[in-house]
Structure formats: structure tokens, C-alpha cells
Amino acid sequence: MYLRIFLKVCEGCGVLWFRANGCAEVYCPDCARKMRCLPPVRRTRRPGRRGRHRNPVLVTGGTV
């Protein structure tokens, strides 16, 4: 049986490392350990943001 591996570049530090086929990791083992220590990212909406058109253009009379 053969094991397929790929040479990858770590997105954290830029080091070259081998990753097994089918594995989706993007960080080397050292950076992955450091990333686990960080708090999870919280994605919350900011109050007051309602959509794309935050500053509507007002057209009053006449031609544009």
C-alpha cells in the first residue's frame, strides 16, 4: 500500500511541510498548535449597518 503525500506551504509561517492526501490542514503542526491556543473568531454584525445602501442619493426635481 502506498501513502500519498503533498508538499505544502504553511499559511502561518511559510515553512514547507508534508501533508497526507485527503487532509485539509493549512498550517504546519507548530502553527496548528499555536492556533488552537487562540480564542475562536466571533463574527457579529455591527449595530447600525443595514445593507448596501447606507447613504442614499436624494434627487430633488429637475433632470439629473
Side-chain angles (χ1 to χ4, degrees):
M1 179 176 174
Y2 294 102
L3 176 67
R4 291 187 179 208
I5 57 173
F6 295 101
L7 182 63
K8 301 303 273 182
V9 177
C10 176
E11 291 186 11
C13 64
V15 70
L16 292 174
W17 60 289
F18 291 108
R19 179 177 80 177
N21 187 20
C23 185
E25 295 186 19
V26 295
Y27 300 109
C28 67
D30 290 336
C31 287
R33 186 174 0 97
K34 292 175 187 175
M35 296 299 264
R36 280 192 295 269
C37 294
L38 296 176
V41 176
R42 293 180 51 197
R43 297 188 187 267
T44 59
R45 292 184 83 172
R46 290 194 224 165
R49 298 226 169 186
R50 300 196 74 158
R52 287 179 41 178
H53 305 291
R54 288 181 279 153
N55 299 322
V57 177
L58 298 177
V59 178
T60 57
T63 59
V64 179

